[in-house]
Amino acid sequence: MASSGPNGTDNGDSLPPPPPVVPSDVVPVKAELEKKKALRLPIARRGLASKGTKLQLLTNHYRVNVANTDGHFYQYSVALFYDDGRPVEGKGVGRKLLDRVHETYDSELNGKDFAYDGEKTLFTLGSLARNKLEFTVVLEDIIASRNNGNCSPDGNGELNESDKKRMRRPNSSKAFKVELSYASKIPLQAIANALRGQESENYQEAIRVLDIILRQHAAKQGCLLVRQSFFHNDPKNFADVGGGVLGCRGFHSSFRTTQSGLSLNIDVSTTMIITPGPVVDFLISNQNVRDPFSLDWAKAKRTLKNLRIKASPSNQEFKITGISEFPCKDQTFTLKRKGGDDVAEEEVTVYDYFVNIRKIDLRYSGDLPCINVGKPKRPTYIPLELCSLVSLQRYTKALSTLQRASLVEKSRQKPQERMRVLTDALKSSNYGSEPMLRNCGISISPNFTEVEGRVLQAPRLKFGNGEDFNPRNGRWNFNNKKIVKPTKIERWAVVNFSARCDTRGLVRDLIKCGGMKGIVIDQPFDVFEENGQFRRAPPVVRVEKMFELVQSKLPGAPQFLLCLLPERKNSDLYGPWKKKNLAEFGIVTQCIAPTRVNDQYLTNVLLKINAKLGGLNSILGVEHSPSIPIVSRAPTIIIGMDVSHGSPGQTDIPSIAAVVSSREWPLISKYRASVRTQSPKMEMIDNLFKKVSDKEDEGIMRELLLDFYTSSGNRKPDNIIIFRDGVSESQFNQVLNIELDQIIEACKFLDEKWNPKFLVIVAQKNHHTKFFQPGAPDNVPPGTVIDNKICHPRNYDFYMCAHAGMIGTSRPTHYHVLLDEIGFSPDDLQELVHSLSYVYQRSTTAISVVAPICYAHLAATQMGQFMKFEDKSETSSSHGGSGMPAPPVPQLPRLQENVSSSMFFC
């Protein structure tokens, strides 16, 4: 293939085109052609790398044999209707209906099995008799969100004949219509082609069918399905993380095409579920209160909506639609009773009805609201103590810091234990019994796949006083070492929002520790203690008052403020404090919440402060000498890009895009960041180039490129290396064609004649491939890289574990090289990625993914804290789906000039 330049044009020495002959009144077609320029596709692999010590490893991919490659999958669209012709809206009934179709109409289906995705699509191997088929099926005891009586009267208050009769009568049955219509067919041959590296259109589709078969197989076993992960209802797999939430362990299972054939990737997976059992116990735990009478019912109503319960004594299942307005003793409804021919109506309280008419003893529900399982206009009330939450219901809200910590701790597994669990999972899944897989001639090997890894040597690090050091096991420390480029800390002060702390002692130790590392720290100007009367005030007020105090006492703006916070990790002072310092005053600040202060703690704090103030803690030997292949020879900028989204429950929080870039070439250890908000949940970064007039571009890239130019001796980068985090394979083409195009436009806007070369790499952490050392209890050593066997059959990808996994099982980073115009050899590229895991200034260990991506992540998170405390009304969720235009995305405040180019995020 001809090599193509950044605009997809040939770089060959072609002759110039002949001069155009255009009549003066014709608009040239060039503009039209520009639009249709060739799409960039991910490049193919450029051979394998060879550096490093070879190491035999096992991976959680199981070899799949596909014997049948002649057939076709036929795809049918599924439409479901009630017998009166209304379409079925509710989820969850589809599988029941299609199971019934399968049982009842076996001969009309030619005895075929099918793979149904639970929604609107179904696949068979070979075709059905006709292109359109209609079936009528009957389901008993169908309870979507409908109430079938026998639990409490509905809004009309009828007793639905007598309860006793209903107990004996089978639940009402209902007729449905199921329509199947032919949509397309997919050749099984597509899988075989993909394995030979020839990707056809249909291979993803064919693999998707296989994945749907796995989902259906798990659904038949009563599992909760979350994408390609499956969770059994087995209390052995539940771990309580507090707040009425359980971590539920299951496993992920999906087919992958690899260099050595088709493999089934099985991994341990965890999802969050609501603790099953009495609703009241869940609420008490969820709100962390002592008894049901302390519950916040407005909050409870939001938490419970749409959850499924079983009501005793009938054991019938319902969906919660709301909560009664009044307590059970006061909530009334109209009860209709038949007496001979007339119907008598009376107002009854829910409490009286259950206690006196149904003769059910209620111990504590009388004074609490009831659960409503009816329609808004026709409520159906059930006393709280008769309601129990059904198992395996997902909890989708964000976890608290404590819950997250508890989950991490409880879901850790050492490599050997994880291997055992995976082997058991494959056995118990019993895929051999799945008829669809058997018909495709698919069999799955019971053994882990063997792969060859290579362990790269750690890069040499440089410290102060010309000292060099080779990290061992991906770690080093600063004991008896000096920082390579220390800053001097002169005009500074301490602010204390946390009363219980020996501030003077802390300052003394910090100055002493700094001295040992080579950082000269003057005495602070002052220690500002928070005035006790503001301790209960809102965070923004506390920060304002503290700043007034600081301003009244300091002679001028400080270079640096050390801020002591009362609680770690989630102090609500953090966001407003950072915003005040960075955006309003341009002051570098370090927040700490000192609990156990020792030498190690102070050293870590000093590393962060030094980096923020423009120093460097350690650098690579190859960076100092400069001898990094390609990067040291020509001006090269390294970019890290990430988008962070609100937690799963928050749909209206703006997403935050952060791009960091290296500065002061030939260094690759110094970075700055540019951060912007964008529409919620949008993964592509949309402000890389933002032309506001012929002369002005307000995009992210412009400020980064200009900063590189001024900090690198007025040189433009010849090479631009981009690391992109957090995109899935389906979005690679957008990164290559949308984001990269914007970056190229930003370059052209600065200088039309400038044609830098690009290298684009995506880093993924949320995949399910793990590596194990056969027969050894430890994780793979730091520096392990794998680029064979289980990698992509055509594309250029590799796995790297740069860090030492101390706990649990290491998660390698999966790097995908989408474009390389610069021309790195596989060895040089892996070496560069490995080196970039050693330049993270706030840590004395190799990290698991390149530093620019970690920095982008930190910058997005820190600026995201600014948003948390903005006026909530701007991002409230009242703009529901009423066809209203989405509210404008609130913008982040711009940082002051003097901190915007610092490593404020470090």
PDB file of all heavy atoms in Angstrom, residues 545-567:
ATOM      1  N   LYS A 545     -13.693  32.411  53.846  1.00  0.00           N
ATOM      2  CA  LYS A 545     -13.265  33.024  55.112  1.00  0.00           C
ATOM      3  C   LYS A 545     -11.767  32.800  55.328  1.00  0.00           C
ATOM      4  O   LYS A 545     -11.040  33.697  55.752  1.00  0.00           O
ATOM      5  CB  LYS A 545     -14.050  32.432  56.293  1.00  0.00           C
ATOM      6  CG  LYS A 545     -15.530  32.766  56.266  1.00  0.00           C
ATOM      7  CD  LYS A 545     -15.754  34.253  56.470  1.00  0.00           C
ATOM      8  CE  LYS A 545     -17.216  34.635  56.401  1.00  0.00           C
ATOM      9  NZ  LYS A 545     -17.396  36.078  56.176  1.00  0.00           N
ATOM     10  N   MET A 546     -11.304  31.600  55.009  1.00  0.00           N
ATOM     11  CA  MET A 546      -9.881  31.288  55.182  1.00  0.00           C
ATOM     12  C   MET A 546      -9.052  32.207  54.284  1.00  0.00           C
ATOM     13  O   MET A 546      -8.008  32.716  54.680  1.00  0.00           O
ATOM     14  CB  MET A 546      -9.626  29.812  54.859  1.00  0.00           C
ATOM     15  CG  MET A 546      -8.190  29.387  55.030  1.00  0.00           C
ATOM     16  SD  MET A 546      -7.568  29.551  56.736  1.00  0.00           S
ATOM     17  CE  MET A 546      -7.989  27.946  57.415  1.00  0.00           C
ATOM     18  N   PHE A 547      -9.536  32.417  53.040  1.00  0.00           N
ATOM     19  CA  PHE A 547      -8.784  33.264  52.114  1.00  0.00           C
ATOM     20  C   PHE A 547      -8.749  34.713  52.577  1.00  0.00           C
ATOM     21  O   PHE A 547      -7.746  35.389  52.425  1.00  0.00           O
ATOM     22  CB  PHE A 547      -9.352  33.143  50.690  1.00  0.00           C
ATOM     23  CG  PHE A 547      -8.400  32.413  49.794  1.00  0.00           C
ATOM     24  CD1 PHE A 547      -8.462  31.029  49.671  1.00  0.00           C
ATOM     25  CD2 PHE A 547      -7.389  33.092  49.120  1.00  0.00           C
ATOM     26  CE1 PHE A 547      -7.560  30.349  48.882  1.00  0.00           C
ATOM     27  CE2 PHE A 547      -6.488  32.416  48.331  1.00  0.00           C
ATOM     28  CZ  PHE A 547      -6.564  31.043  48.206  1.00  0.00           C
ATOM     29  N   GLU A 548      -9.861  35.165  53.156  1.00  0.00           N
ATOM     30  CA  GLU A 548      -9.868  36.539  53.685  1.00  0.00           C
ATOM     31  C   GLU A 548      -8.787  36.691  54.756  1.00  0.00           C
ATOM     32  O   GLU A 548      -8.043  37.670  54.790  1.00  0.00           O
ATOM     33  CB  GLU A 548     -11.249  36.875  54.271  1.00  0.00           C
ATOM     34  CG  GLU A 548     -12.292  37.147  53.190  1.00  0.00           C
ATOM     35  CD  GLU A 548     -13.703  37.231  53.758  1.00  0.00           C
ATOM     36  OE1 GLU A 548     -13.858  37.406  54.997  1.00  0.00           O
ATOM     37  OE2 GLU A 548     -14.654  37.108  52.954  1.00  0.00           O
ATOM     38  N   LEU A 549      -8.706  35.667  55.611  1.00  0.00           N
ATOM     39  CA  LEU A 549      -7.701  35.680  56.693  1.00  0.00           C
ATOM     40  C   LEU A 549      -6.283  35.712  56.106  1.00  0.00           C
ATOM     41  O   LEU A 549      -5.443  36.533  56.493  1.00  0.00           O
ATOM     42  CB  LEU A 549      -7.899  34.441  57.578  1.00  0.00           C
ATOM     43  CG  LEU A 549      -6.886  34.199  58.689  1.00  0.00           C
ATOM     44  CD1 LEU A 549      -6.969  35.319  59.741  1.00  0.00           C
ATOM     45  CD2 LEU A 549      -7.126  32.850  59.373  1.00  0.00           C
ATOM     46  N   VAL A 550      -6.018  34.829  55.143  1.00  0.00           N
ATOM     47  CA  VAL A 550      -4.689  34.735  54.529  1.00  0.00           C
ATOM     48  C   VAL A 550      -4.313  36.061  53.864  1.00  0.00           C
ATOM     49  O   VAL A 550      -3.211  36.581  54.044  1.00  0.00           O
ATOM     50  CB  VAL A 550      -4.654  33.583  53.492  1.00  0.00           C
ATOM     51  CG1 VAL A 550      -3.360  33.614  52.689  1.00  0.00           C
ATOM     52  CG2 VAL A 550      -4.796  32.230  54.195  1.00  0.00           C
ATOM     53  N   GLN A 551      -5.280  36.636  53.122  1.00  0.00           N
ATOM     54  CA  GLN A 551      -4.999  37.893  52.410  1.00  0.00           C
ATOM     55  C   GLN A 551      -4.713  39.049  53.371  1.00  0.00           C
ATOM     56  O   GLN A 551      -3.886  39.906  53.089  1.00  0.00           O
ATOM     57  CB  GLN A 551      -6.163  38.260  51.500  1.00  0.00           C
ATOM     58  CG  GLN A 551      -6.124  37.523  50.163  1.00  0.00           C
ATOM     59  CD  GLN A 551      -7.316  37.890  49.294  1.00  0.00           C
ATOM     60  OE1 GLN A 551      -8.453  37.647  49.666  1.00  0.00           O
ATOM     61  NE2 GLN A 551      -7.060  38.491  48.146  1.00  0.00           N
ATOM     62  N   SER A 552      -5.424  39.010  54.506  1.00  0.00           N
ATOM     63  CA  SER A 552      -5.231  40.140  55.444  1.00  0.00           C
ATOM     64  C   SER A 552      -3.845  40.092  56.089  1.00  0.00           C
ATOM     65  O   SER A 552      -3.312  41.097  56.514  1.00  0.00           O
ATOM     66  CB  SER A 552      -6.308  40.093  56.530  1.00  0.00           C
ATOM     67  OG  SER A 552      -6.098  38.960  57.361  1.00  0.00           O
ATOM     68  N   LYS A 553      -3.224  38.899  56.147  1.00  0.00           N
ATOM     69  CA  LYS A 553      -1.952  38.765  56.879  1.00  0.00           C
ATOM     70  C   LYS A 553      -0.716  38.717  55.972  1.00  0.00           C
ATOM     71  O   LYS A 553       0.370  39.105  56.380  1.00  0.00           O
ATOM     72  CB  LYS A 553      -1.983  37.485  57.729  1.00  0.00           C
ATOM     73  CG  LYS A 553      -3.020  37.521  58.863  1.00  0.00           C
ATOM     74  CD  LYS A 553      -2.399  38.192  60.076  1.00  0.00           C
ATOM     75  CE  LYS A 553      -3.333  38.447  61.232  1.00  0.00           C
ATOM     76  NZ  LYS A 553      -4.275  37.426  61.595  1.00  0.00           N
ATOM     77  N   LEU A 554      -0.861  38.165  54.748  1.00  0.00           N
ATOM     78  CA  LEU A 554       0.335  37.979  53.911  1.00  0.00           C
ATOM     79  C   LEU A 554       0.701  39.273  53.178  1.00  0.00           C
ATOM     80  O   LEU A 554      -0.183  39.979  52.695  1.00  0.00           O
ATOM     81  CB  LEU A 554       0.104  36.865  52.873  1.00  0.00           C
ATOM     82  CG  LEU A 554       0.090  35.427  53.386  1.00  0.00           C
ATOM     83  CD1 LEU A 554      -0.003  34.459  52.218  1.00  0.00           C
ATOM     84  CD2 LEU A 554       1.324  35.096  54.200  1.00  0.00           C
ATOM     85  N   PRO A 555       1.997  39.542  53.053  1.00  0.00           N
ATOM     86  CA  PRO A 555       2.421  40.765  52.361  1.00  0.00           C
ATOM     87  C   PRO A 555       2.139  40.712  50.858  1.00  0.00           C
ATOM     88  O   PRO A 555       1.934  41.744  50.223  1.00  0.00           O
ATOM     89  CB  PRO A 555       3.928  40.816  52.634  1.00  0.00           C
ATOM     90  CG  PRO A 555       4.320  39.426  52.998  1.00  0.00           C
ATOM     91  CD  PRO A 555       3.128  38.792  53.628  1.00  0.00           C
ATOM     92  N   GLY A 556       2.137  39.535  50.258  1.00  0.00           N
ATOM     93  CA  GLY A 556       1.882  39.430  48.812  1.00  0.00           C
ATOM     94  C   GLY A 556       1.427  38.012  48.522  1.00  0.00           C
ATOM     95  O   GLY A 556       1.281  37.201  49.427  1.00  0.00           O
ATOM     96  N   ALA A 557       1.220  37.698  47.239  1.00  0.00           N
ATOM     97  CA  ALA A 557       0.747  36.353  46.895  1.00  0.00           C
ATOM     98  C   ALA A 557       1.818  35.328  47.255  1.00  0.00           C
ATOM     99  O   ALA A 557       2.988  35.506  46.925  1.00  0.00           O
ATOM    100  CB  ALA A 557       0.441  36.283  45.411  1.00  0.00           C
ATOM    101  N   PRO A 558       1.433  34.231  47.923  1.00  0.00           N
ATOM    102  CA  PRO A 558       2.428  33.205  48.245  1.00  0.00           C
ATOM    103  C   PRO A 558       2.769  32.383  47.005  1.00  0.00           C
ATOM    104  O   PRO A 558       1.991  32.321  46.054  1.00  0.00           O
ATOM    105  CB  PRO A 558       1.708  32.344  49.284  1.00  0.00           C
ATOM    106  CG  PRO A 558       0.259  32.514  48.991  1.00  0.00           C
ATOM    107  CD  PRO A 558       0.091  33.896  48.427  1.00  0.00           C
ATOM    108  N   GLN A 559       3.943  31.751  47.054  1.00  0.00           N
ATOM    109  CA  GLN A 559       4.340  30.850  45.962  1.00  0.00           C
ATOM    110  C   GLN A 559       3.573  29.529  46.130  1.00  0.00           C
ATOM    111  O   GLN A 559       3.273  28.838  45.170  1.00  0.00           O
ATOM    112  CB  GLN A 559       5.854  30.601  46.097  1.00  0.00           C
ATOM    113  CG  GLN A 559       6.437  29.608  45.122  1.00  0.00           C
ATOM    114  CD  GLN A 559       7.853  29.167  45.567  1.00  0.00           C
ATOM    115  OE1 GLN A 559       8.278  29.475  46.675  1.00  0.00           O
ATOM    116  NE2 GLN A 559       8.559  28.454  44.720  1.00  0.00           N
ATOM    117  N   PHE A 560       3.227  29.239  47.389  1.00  0.00           N
ATOM    118  CA  PHE A 560       2.729  27.900  47.675  1.00  0.00           C
ATOM    119  C   PHE A 560       1.944  27.896  48.987  1.00  0.00           C
ATOM    120  O   PHE A 560       2.318  28.581  49.939  1.00  0.00           O
ATOM    121  CB  PHE A 560       3.963  26.972  47.769  1.00  0.00           C
ATOM    122  CG  PHE A 560       3.656  25.615  48.320  1.00  0.00           C
ATOM    123  CD1 PHE A 560       2.909  24.707  47.579  1.00  0.00           C
ATOM    124  CD2 PHE A 560       4.098  25.236  49.585  1.00  0.00           C
ATOM    125  CE1 PHE A 560       2.603  23.456  48.096  1.00  0.00           C
ATOM    126  CE2 PHE A 560       3.802  23.993  50.093  1.00  0.00           C
ATOM    127  CZ  PHE A 560       3.056  23.092  49.349  1.00  0.00           C
ATOM    128  N   LEU A 561       0.818  27.148  49.026  1.00  0.00           N
ATOM    129  CA  LEU A 561       0.063  26.972  50.280  1.00  0.00           C
ATOM    130  C   LEU A 561      -0.098  25.488  50.583  1.00  0.00           C
ATOM    131  O   LEU A 561      -0.506  24.711  49.711  1.00  0.00           O
ATOM    132  CB  LEU A 561      -1.333  27.603  50.173  1.00  0.00           C
ATOM    133  CG  LEU A 561      -1.426  29.132  50.189  1.00  0.00           C
ATOM    134  CD1 LEU A 561      -2.874  29.578  49.968  1.00  0.00           C
ATOM    135  CD2 LEU A 561      -0.902  29.711  51.502  1.00  0.00           C
ATOM    136  N   LEU A 562       0.234  25.108  51.810  1.00  0.00           N
ATOM    137  CA  LEU A 562       0.005  23.729  52.262  1.00  0.00           C
ATOM    138  C   LEU A 562      -1.314  23.739  53.028  1.00  0.00           C
ATOM    139  O   LEU A 562      -1.498  24.550  53.933  1.00  0.00           O
ATOM    140  CB  LEU A 562       1.149  23.278  53.177  1.00  0.00           C
ATOM    141  CG  LEU A 562       1.053  21.837  53.696  1.00  0.00           C
ATOM    142  CD1 LEU A 562       1.213  20.835  52.567  1.00  0.00           C
ATOM    143  CD2 LEU A 562       2.127  21.576  54.759  1.00  0.00           C
ATOM    144  N   CYS A 563      -2.230  22.865  52.635  1.00  0.00           N
ATOM    145  CA  CYS A 563      -3.570  22.911  53.223  1.00  0.00           C
ATOM    146  C   CYS A 563      -3.864  21.605  53.950  1.00  0.00           C
ATOM    147  O   CYS A 563      -3.764  20.520  53.357  1.00  0.00           O
ATOM    148  CB  CYS A 563      -4.573  23.126  52.091  1.00  0.00           C
ATOM    149  SG  CYS A 563      -6.271  22.940  52.596  1.00  0.00           S
ATOM    150  N   LEU A 564      -4.212  21.686  55.236  1.00  0.00           N
ATOM    151  CA  LEU A 564      -4.538  20.480  56.017  1.00  0.00           C
ATOM    152  C   LEU A 564      -6.054  20.304  56.056  1.00  0.00           C
ATOM    153  O   LEU A 564      -6.778  21.193  56.504  1.00  0.00           O
ATOM    154  CB  LEU A 564      -4.011  20.596  57.449  1.00  0.00           C
ATOM    155  CG  LEU A 564      -2.540  21.009  57.613  1.00  0.00           C
ATOM    156  CD1 LEU A 564      -2.113  20.889  59.071  1.00  0.00           C
ATOM    157  CD2 LEU A 564      -1.623  20.143  56.760  1.00  0.00           C
ATOM    158  N   LEU A 565      -6.506  19.160  55.560  1.00  0.00           N
ATOM    159  CA  LEU A 565      -7.945  18.893  55.495  1.00  0.00           C
ATOM    160  C   LEU A 565      -8.348  17.918  56.593  1.00  0.00           C
ATOM    161  O   LEU A 565      -7.557  17.068  57.006  1.00  0.00           O
ATOM    162  CB  LEU A 565      -8.304  18.298  54.130  1.00  0.00           C
ATOM    163  CG  LEU A 565      -8.131  19.233  52.930  1.00  0.00           C
ATOM    164  CD1 LEU A 565      -8.396  18.497  51.630  1.00  0.00           C
ATOM    165  CD2 LEU A 565      -9.065  20.423  53.062  1.00  0.00           C
ATOM    166  N   PRO A 566      -9.608  17.996  57.032  1.00  0.00           N
ATOM    167  CA  PRO A 566     -10.022  17.131  58.132  1.00  0.00           C
ATOM    168  C   PRO A 566     -10.168  15.653  57.746  1.00  0.00           C
ATOM    169  O   PRO A 566      -9.783  14.780  58.489  1.00  0.00           O
ATOM    170  CB  PRO A 566     -11.378  17.700  58.558  1.00  0.00           C
ATOM    171  CG  PRO A 566     -11.812  18.609  57.468  1.00  0.00           C
ATOM    172  CD  PRO A 566     -10.597  19.020  56.698  1.00  0.00           C
ATOM    173  N   GLU A 567     -10.724  15.331  56.556  1.00  0.00           N
ATOM    174  CA  GLU A 567     -10.842  13.908  56.260  1.00  0.00           C
ATOM    175  C   GLU A 567     -10.208  13.576  54.918  1.00  0.00           C
ATOM    176  O   GLU A 567     -10.147  14.402  54.025  1.00  0.00           O
ATOM    177  CB  GLU A 567     -12.289  13.403  56.331  1.00  0.00           C
ATOM    178  CG  GLU A 567     -13.251  14.040  55.367  1.00  0.00           C
ATOM    179  CD  GLU A 567     -13.800  15.356  55.918  1.00  0.00           C
ATOM    180  OE1 GLU A 567     -13.989  15.493  57.143  1.00  0.00           O
ATOM    181  OE2 GLU A 567     -14.007  16.257  55.101  1.00  0.00           O
TER     182      GLU A 567
END
